[in-house]
Amino acid sequence: MTSATVPSVDVLAVGDASVDYFVRVPHIATADDKAIGRLVGVYGGGMSANLAAAARFAGARAALATAVGSDEPGRQALDRLAAQGVDVSASITVPGGHTWFCVIQLDRSGEKSLVGAVTEVKIPAGDQVSDDLLRTARVVAPLADDLDWAIGLAARARANGAKVAVDLEPDAVAGRWDQVRTLARHSDLVFCNQGAVQVLADGDPARCAELLISAGARVVVVTGGRHGAACHSREESWTARGPEIDVVDTTGAGDALAGAFTGSWILGRSLADSLRAGVATASLCVSHLGSRSYLDAGTGIETYARNVTLETAPRLQGIR
Protein backbone atom coordinates (compact mmCIF):
# COMPACT_ATOMS: atom_id res chain seq x y z
CA MET A 1 0.00 0.00 0.00
CA THR A 2 1.47 3.34 -1.02
CA SER A 3 1.41 6.41 1.16
CA ALA A 4 -1.27 7.87 -1.11
CA THR A 5 -3.68 5.05 -0.23
CA VAL A 6 -3.06 4.77 3.49
CA PRO A 7 -6.42 5.33 5.25
CA SER A 8 -6.56 8.63 7.07
CA VAL A 9 -9.25 7.61 9.59
CA ASP A 10 -9.81 4.45 11.58
CA VAL A 11 -13.63 4.55 11.72
CA LEU A 12 -15.92 6.27 9.21
CA ALA A 13 -19.57 6.28 10.26
CA VAL A 14 -21.99 6.95 7.41
CA GLY A 15 -25.50 7.86 8.46
CA ASP A 16 -27.32 10.26 10.73
CA ALA A 17 -26.85 13.12 13.15
CA SER A 18 -29.94 14.34 14.98
CA VAL A 19 -31.07 16.75 17.64
CA ASP A 20 -32.58 15.13 20.77
CA TYR A 21 -35.18 16.87 22.96
CA PHE A 22 -35.39 15.28 26.42
CA VAL A 23 -38.60 15.43 28.44
CA ARG A 24 -38.68 14.10 32.02
CA VAL A 25 -42.05 12.42 32.61
CA PRO A 26 -43.70 10.73 35.61
CA HIS A 27 -44.26 7.65 33.44
CA ILE A 28 -43.71 6.65 29.84
CA ALA A 29 -46.83 7.49 27.85
CA THR A 30 -48.47 4.60 26.01
CA ALA A 31 -51.37 4.40 23.54
CA ASP A 32 -54.26 6.73 24.42
CA ASP A 33 -52.25 7.95 27.41
CA LYS A 34 -50.80 11.28 28.43
CA ALA A 35 -47.59 12.08 30.29
CA ILE A 36 -46.97 15.72 31.09
CA GLY A 37 -43.32 16.41 31.84
CA ARG A 38 -40.72 19.12 31.46
CA LEU A 39 -37.96 19.77 28.96
CA VAL A 40 -34.66 18.95 30.65
CA GLY A 41 -32.21 19.35 27.80
CA VAL A 42 -31.48 19.51 24.08
CA TYR A 43 -28.50 17.46 22.93
CA GLY A 44 -26.85 16.13 19.81
CA GLY A 45 -27.81 12.59 18.87
CA GLY A 46 -28.04 10.19 15.96
CA MET A 47 -26.82 6.58 15.95
CA SER A 48 -24.01 7.24 13.48
CA ALA A 49 -22.88 10.42 15.20
CA ASN A 50 -22.88 8.66 18.57
CA LEU A 51 -20.89 5.73 17.17
CA ALA A 52 -18.24 7.97 15.64
CA ALA A 53 -17.86 9.96 18.86
CA ALA A 54 -17.48 6.78 20.93
CA ALA A 55 -14.85 5.44 18.54
CA ARG A 56 -12.93 8.68 19.02
CA PHE A 57 -13.32 8.32 22.79
CA ALA A 58 -11.68 4.88 22.52
CA GLY A 59 -8.67 6.45 20.83
CA ALA A 60 -9.50 5.89 17.16
CA ARG A 61 -9.42 8.52 14.45
CA ALA A 62 -13.12 8.94 13.67
CA ALA A 63 -15.14 10.65 10.95
CA LEU A 64 -18.82 11.05 10.14
CA ALA A 65 -20.44 11.44 6.72
CA THR A 66 -24.01 12.62 7.26
CA ALA A 67 -26.60 15.01 5.84
CA VAL A 68 -28.08 17.86 7.86
CA GLY A 69 -30.27 20.81 7.06
CA SER A 70 -29.03 24.37 6.73
CA ASP A 71 -30.91 25.18 9.95
CA GLU A 72 -29.38 26.03 13.32
CA PRO A 73 -29.76 22.47 14.71
CA GLY A 74 -27.79 21.11 11.75
CA ARG A 75 -24.99 23.60 12.24
CA GLN A 76 -24.85 22.90 15.96
CA ALA A 77 -24.81 19.14 15.39
CA LEU A 78 -21.74 19.30 13.17
CA ASP A 79 -19.96 21.94 15.25
CA ARG A 80 -20.44 19.91 18.43
CA LEU A 81 -19.12 16.72 16.84
CA ALA A 82 -16.10 18.58 15.48
CA ALA A 83 -15.42 19.93 18.98
CA GLN A 84 -15.53 16.35 20.24
CA GLY A 85 -12.81 15.31 17.81
CA VAL A 86 -14.90 13.81 15.01
CA ASP A 87 -14.00 14.80 11.44
CA VAL A 88 -17.25 15.99 9.80
CA SER A 89 -15.70 17.43 6.65
CA ALA A 90 -17.42 14.81 4.45
CA SER A 91 -20.89 15.76 5.70
CA ILE A 92 -23.46 17.45 3.47
CA THR A 93 -25.53 20.52 4.36
CA VAL A 94 -28.79 20.64 2.39
CA PRO A 95 -29.87 24.25 1.63
CA GLY A 96 -33.32 24.92 3.07
CA GLY A 97 -33.39 21.47 4.66
CA HIS A 98 -34.51 20.63 8.19
CA THR A 99 -32.33 18.42 10.39
CA TRP A 100 -34.18 15.40 11.73
CA PHE A 101 -34.89 15.22 15.45
CA CYS A 102 -36.09 13.00 18.28
CA VAL A 103 -38.31 13.57 21.29
CA ILE A 104 -37.27 11.35 24.20
CA GLN A 105 -39.38 10.60 27.25
CA LEU A 106 -37.34 9.75 30.35
CA ASP A 107 -38.89 8.19 33.42
CA ARG A 108 -37.49 8.31 36.95
CA SER A 109 -35.35 5.20 36.37
CA GLY A 110 -33.62 6.66 33.31
CA GLU A 111 -35.38 4.35 30.88
CA LYS A 112 -36.53 6.00 27.67
CA SER A 113 -39.15 6.02 24.97
CA LEU A 114 -37.96 7.65 21.77
CA VAL A 115 -39.98 9.11 18.92
CA GLY A 116 -37.99 10.08 15.85
CA ALA A 117 -39.29 12.74 13.46
CA VAL A 118 -37.62 12.05 10.11
CA THR A 119 -37.53 15.14 7.93
CA GLU A 120 -36.47 15.39 4.30
CA VAL A 121 -32.85 15.28 5.51
CA LYS A 122 -31.38 12.34 7.45
CA ILE A 123 -28.64 10.42 5.63
CA PRO A 124 -26.62 11.00 2.45
CA ALA A 125 -27.73 9.20 -0.68
CA GLY A 126 -25.51 6.32 -1.72
CA ASP A 127 -24.13 8.22 -4.69
CA GLN A 128 -23.14 11.08 -2.38
CA VAL A 129 -20.63 8.79 -0.64
CA SER A 130 -17.70 8.42 -3.01
CA ASP A 131 -15.31 5.50 -3.35
CA ASP A 132 -12.51 7.95 -2.61
CA LEU A 133 -14.13 8.68 0.76
CA LEU A 134 -14.57 4.99 1.56
CA ARG A 135 -10.89 4.39 0.82
CA THR A 136 -9.95 6.86 3.56
CA ALA A 137 -11.26 4.50 6.27
CA ARG A 138 -10.06 1.30 7.89
CA VAL A 139 -13.63 0.54 9.04
CA VAL A 140 -16.84 1.86 7.51
CA ALA A 141 -19.96 1.77 9.70
CA PRO A 142 -23.10 2.39 7.60
CA LEU A 143 -26.37 3.08 9.39
CA ALA A 144 -28.50 -0.06 9.03
CA ASP A 145 -31.98 1.51 9.22
CA ASP A 146 -32.34 0.91 5.46
CA LEU A 147 -30.82 -2.52 4.81
CA ASP A 148 -30.60 -2.14 1.04
CA TRP A 149 -28.77 1.20 1.43
CA ALA A 150 -26.45 -0.34 4.03
CA ILE A 151 -25.74 -3.40 1.88
CA GLY A 152 -24.75 -1.19 -1.03
CA LEU A 153 -22.34 0.84 1.10
CA ALA A 154 -20.95 -2.23 2.87
CA ALA A 155 -20.20 -3.96 -0.44
CA ARG A 156 -18.50 -0.85 -1.80
CA ALA A 157 -16.51 -0.36 1.40
CA ARG A 158 -15.23 -3.93 1.20
CA ALA A 159 -14.36 -3.48 -2.48
CA ASN A 160 -12.33 -0.41 -1.52
CA GLY A 161 -10.33 -2.23 1.14
CA ALA A 162 -12.22 -1.27 4.30
CA LYS A 163 -13.72 -3.48 6.97
CA VAL A 164 -17.40 -3.04 7.86
CA ALA A 165 -19.31 -2.67 11.13
CA VAL A 166 -23.12 -2.57 11.37
CA ASP A 167 -25.60 -2.23 14.22
CA LEU A 168 -28.92 -4.02 13.61
CA GLU A 169 -32.21 -2.58 14.86
CA PRO A 170 -35.37 -4.70 15.28
CA ASP A 171 -37.64 -2.58 13.05
CA ALA A 172 -35.12 -2.69 10.22
CA VAL A 173 -34.53 -6.46 10.28
CA ALA A 174 -38.06 -7.74 10.90
CA GLY A 175 -39.14 -9.98 8.04
CA ARG A 176 -35.96 -9.29 6.07
CA TRP A 177 -33.69 -12.24 6.82
CA ASP A 178 -32.38 -12.46 3.25
CA GLN A 179 -31.15 -8.86 3.42
CA VAL A 180 -29.76 -9.39 6.94
CA ARG A 181 -27.81 -12.41 5.71
CA THR A 182 -26.43 -10.43 2.77
CA LEU A 183 -25.38 -7.57 5.04
CA ALA A 184 -23.74 -10.00 7.47
CA ARG A 185 -21.76 -11.51 4.60
CA HIS A 186 -20.27 -8.08 3.90
CA SER A 187 -19.63 -7.28 7.59
CA ASP A 188 -16.74 -7.87 9.97
CA LEU A 189 -18.55 -6.63 13.11
CA VAL A 190 -22.29 -6.99 13.72
CA PHE A 191 -23.97 -5.52 16.80
CA CYS A 192 -27.45 -6.65 17.92
CA ASN A 193 -29.59 -5.34 20.75
CA GLN A 194 -32.19 -7.39 22.60
CA GLY A 195 -34.94 -6.36 20.20
CA ALA A 196 -33.00 -7.52 17.16
CA VAL A 197 -32.19 -10.81 18.90
CA GLN A 198 -35.89 -11.33 19.55
CA VAL A 199 -36.72 -10.77 15.89
CA LEU A 200 -33.86 -12.82 14.43
CA ALA A 201 -33.59 -15.70 16.90
CA ASP A 202 -36.67 -15.69 19.17
CA GLY A 203 -34.69 -14.01 21.93
CA ASP A 204 -31.77 -16.51 21.99
CA PRO A 205 -28.53 -14.46 21.94
CA ALA A 206 -26.22 -17.39 21.20
CA ARG A 207 -28.42 -18.61 18.37
CA CYS A 208 -28.53 -15.10 16.92
CA ALA A 209 -24.73 -14.96 16.92
CA GLU A 210 -24.54 -18.41 15.32
CA LEU A 211 -26.88 -17.38 12.51
CA LEU A 212 -25.01 -14.17 11.75
CA ILE A 213 -21.56 -15.75 11.86
CA SER A 214 -22.81 -18.61 9.67
CA ALA A 215 -23.99 -15.95 7.22
CA GLY A 216 -20.48 -14.48 7.07
CA ALA A 217 -20.02 -12.03 9.92
CA ARG A 218 -16.61 -12.23 11.58
CA VAL A 219 -17.64 -11.04 15.06
CA VAL A 220 -21.08 -10.61 16.64
CA VAL A 221 -21.70 -8.52 19.76
CA VAL A 222 -25.04 -8.93 21.51
CA THR A 223 -25.98 -6.19 23.96
CA GLY A 224 -28.17 -6.78 26.98
CA GLY A 225 -28.69 -3.41 28.64
CA ARG A 226 -28.13 -3.65 32.37
CA HIS A 227 -26.94 -7.22 31.88
CA GLY A 228 -23.90 -6.17 29.86
CA ALA A 229 -22.92 -7.69 26.54
CA ALA A 230 -21.51 -10.82 24.91
CA CYS A 231 -19.03 -11.09 22.07
CA HIS A 232 -18.66 -14.10 19.78
CA SER A 233 -16.43 -15.23 16.95
CA ARG A 234 -15.79 -18.69 15.55
CA GLU A 235 -12.84 -19.08 17.93
CA GLU A 236 -13.86 -17.38 21.19
CA SER A 237 -16.70 -16.00 23.28
CA TRP A 238 -16.74 -13.43 26.09
CA THR A 239 -19.23 -11.75 28.37
CA ALA A 240 -18.81 -8.42 30.13
CA ARG A 241 -20.83 -6.50 32.68
CA GLY A 242 -20.34 -2.93 33.77
CA PRO A 243 -20.17 -1.61 37.33
CA GLU A 244 -23.29 -0.85 39.34
CA ILE A 245 -24.16 2.79 38.67
CA ASP A 246 -27.05 5.19 38.99
CA VAL A 247 -28.68 5.25 35.57
CA VAL A 248 -29.62 8.75 34.41
CA ASP A 249 -30.44 8.18 30.73
CA THR A 250 -30.08 5.07 28.54
CA THR A 251 -30.19 7.00 25.25
CA GLY A 252 -27.27 6.12 22.99
CA ALA A 253 -25.80 3.41 25.21
CA GLY A 254 -25.83 0.84 22.42
CA ASP A 255 -24.20 3.32 20.03
CA ALA A 256 -21.52 4.08 22.63
CA LEU A 257 -20.78 0.39 23.08
CA ALA A 258 -20.61 -0.26 19.34
CA GLY A 259 -18.41 2.76 18.67
CA ALA A 260 -15.94 2.09 21.46
CA PHE A 261 -15.74 -1.61 20.57
CA THR A 262 -15.16 -0.81 16.90
CA GLY A 263 -12.55 1.83 17.65
CA SER A 264 -10.69 -0.46 20.03
CA TRP A 265 -10.86 -3.46 17.70
CA ILE A 266 -9.53 -1.63 14.64
CA LEU A 267 -6.62 -0.35 16.74
CA GLY A 268 -5.58 -3.99 17.23
CA ARG A 269 -6.94 -4.73 20.67
CA SER A 270 -8.29 -8.19 21.46
CA LEU A 271 -11.99 -9.05 21.38
CA ALA A 272 -11.96 -9.22 25.18
CA ASP A 273 -10.35 -5.80 25.57
CA SER A 274 -12.61 -4.32 22.90
CA LEU A 275 -15.68 -5.68 24.70
CA ARG A 276 -14.41 -4.26 27.97
CA ALA A 277 -13.96 -0.85 26.34
CA GLY A 278 -17.43 -0.98 24.80
CA VAL A 279 -19.20 -1.90 28.02
CA ALA A 280 -17.21 0.69 29.98
CA THR A 281 -18.21 3.42 27.53
CA ALA A 282 -21.86 2.38 27.61
CA SER A 283 -21.79 2.47 31.42
CA LEU A 284 -20.30 5.94 31.33
CA CYS A 285 -22.88 7.03 28.76
CA VAL A 286 -25.94 6.06 30.84
CA SER A 287 -24.62 7.95 33.86
CA HIS A 288 -25.20 11.27 32.03
CA LEU A 289 -28.16 12.99 30.40
CA GLY A 290 -27.74 13.00 26.63
CA SER A 291 -26.11 10.38 24.46
CA ARG A 292 -22.73 12.12 24.24
CA SER A 293 -22.55 14.18 27.44
CA TYR A 294 -20.07 11.69 28.90
CA LEU A 295 -17.48 13.02 26.46
CA ASP A 296 -17.46 16.33 28.30
CA ALA A 297 -17.32 14.85 31.80
CA GLY A 298 -13.54 14.50 31.90
CA THR A 299 -13.70 10.81 32.81
CA GLY A 300 -11.36 8.58 30.82
CA ILE A 301 -12.41 5.20 29.48
CA GLU A 302 -9.84 3.47 31.68
CA THR A 303 -11.63 4.53 34.86
CA TYR A 304 -14.73 2.54 34.00
CA ALA A 305 -12.90 -0.25 32.13
CA ARG A 306 -11.15 -1.29 35.35
CA ASN A 307 -14.55 -1.99 36.89
CA VAL A 308 -15.95 -4.08 34.03
CA THR A 309 -16.34 -7.77 34.89
CA LEU A 310 -15.05 -9.84 31.97
CA GLU A 311 -15.48 -13.62 31.70
CA THR A 312 -15.00 -16.30 29.08
CA ALA A 313 -18.23 -17.82 27.77
CA PRO A 314 -19.00 -21.18 26.14
CA ARG A 315 -17.98 -21.19 22.50
CA LEU A 316 -20.72 -21.26 19.92
CA GLN A 317 -21.59 -24.75 18.70
CA GLY A 318 -24.13 -24.18 15.93
CA ILE A 319 -22.01 -22.30 13.37
CA ARG A 320 -22.21 -23.75 9.91
Side-chain angles (χ1 to χ4, degrees):
M1 181 177 287
T2 67
S3 59
T5 59
V6 173
S8 58
V9 298
D10 297 309
V11 179
L12 169 65
V14 185
D16 64 330
S18 71
V19 177
D20 294 345
Y21 298 86
F22 287 84
V23 181
R24 183 80 65 187
V25 293
H27 64 277
I28 301 296
T30 56
D32 198 28
D33 188 14
K34 182 185 294 184
I36 304 299
R38 62 184 180 88
L39 182 69
V40 291
V42 181
Y43 297 92
M47 292 179 61
S48 300
N50 294 341
L51 186 150
R56 180 69 188 93
F57 183 64
R61 299 167 300 170
L64 174 69
T66 188
V68 297
S70 56
D71 51 5
E72 184 63 17
R75 186 189 66 76
Q76 290 182 357
L78 296 185
D79 286 351
R80 189 59 176 156
L81 283 163
Q84 292 167 336
V86 176
D87 181 354
V88 295
S89 60
S91 294
I92 299 164
T93 298
V94 179
H98 299 86
T99 303
W100 90 288
F101 65 94
C102 297
V103 177
I104 301 169
Q105 299 181 74
L106 286 176
D107 67 13
R108 294 184 181 91
S109 72
E111 288 299 331
K112 72 177 186 299
S113 174
L114 184 151
V115 176
V118 177
T119 64
E120 74 281 10
V121 180
K122 184 179 180 184
I123 60 175
D127 60 7
Q128 292 177 311
V129 182
S130 69
D131 286 349
D132 286 342
L133 176 62
L134 297 176
R135 280 192 287 269
T136 67
R138 298 176 66 194
V139 178
V140 174
L143 182 68
D145 280 2
D146 180 334
L147 293 184
D148 293 330
W149 180 88
I151 288 167
L153 275 177
R156 288 175 53 211
R158 276 284 188 85
N160 282 284
K163 300 184 185 304
V164 174
V166 295
D167 190 355
L168 302 181
E169 292 288 313
D171 289 345
V173 303
R176 307 196 72 195
W177 172 242
D178 286 345
Q179 288 92 338
V180 171
R181 183 167 49 203
T182 301
L183 183 56
R185 187 173 72 247
H186 291 302
S187 300
D188 297 273
L189 304 180
V190 177
F191 299 88
C192 288
N193 62 20
Q194 296 170 82
V197 170
Q198 184 62 46
V199 170
L200 294 175
D202 294 325
D204 185 337
R207 181 58 180 156
C208 183
E210 290 168 353
L211 289 171
L212 292 168
I213 292 174
S214 295
R218 179 174 172 184
V219 176
V220 174
V221 179
V222 178
T223 60
R226 294 175 182 270
H227 303 292
C231 172
H232 303 280
S233 70
R234 288 181 178 270
E235 297 79 23
E236 55 186 307
S237 293
W238 298 90
T239 62
R241 184 166 184 152
E244 292 295 327
I245 57 173
D246 293 328
V247 175
V248 175
D249 170 25
T250 61
T251 307
D255 309 332
L257 190 152
F261 185 106
T262 302
S264 296
W265 177 77
I266 199 59
L267 291 176
R269 297 166 190 152
S270 67
L271 292 186
D273 285 342
S274 298
L275 184 63
R276 189 194 300 273
V279 170
T281 305
S283 297
L284 189 56
C285 176
V286 301
S287 66
H288 295 81
L289 179 63
S291 57
R292 298 198 299 271
S293 298
Y294 70 94
L295 298 171
D296 304 318
T299 304
I301 193 172
E302 299 82 6
T303 301
Y304 271 67
R306 286 195 295 268
N307 295 318
V308 170
T309 302
L310 185 71
E311 297 179 342
T312 57
R315 290 179 56 182
L316 300 177
Q317 299 299 315
I319 302 175
R320 295 193 304 274

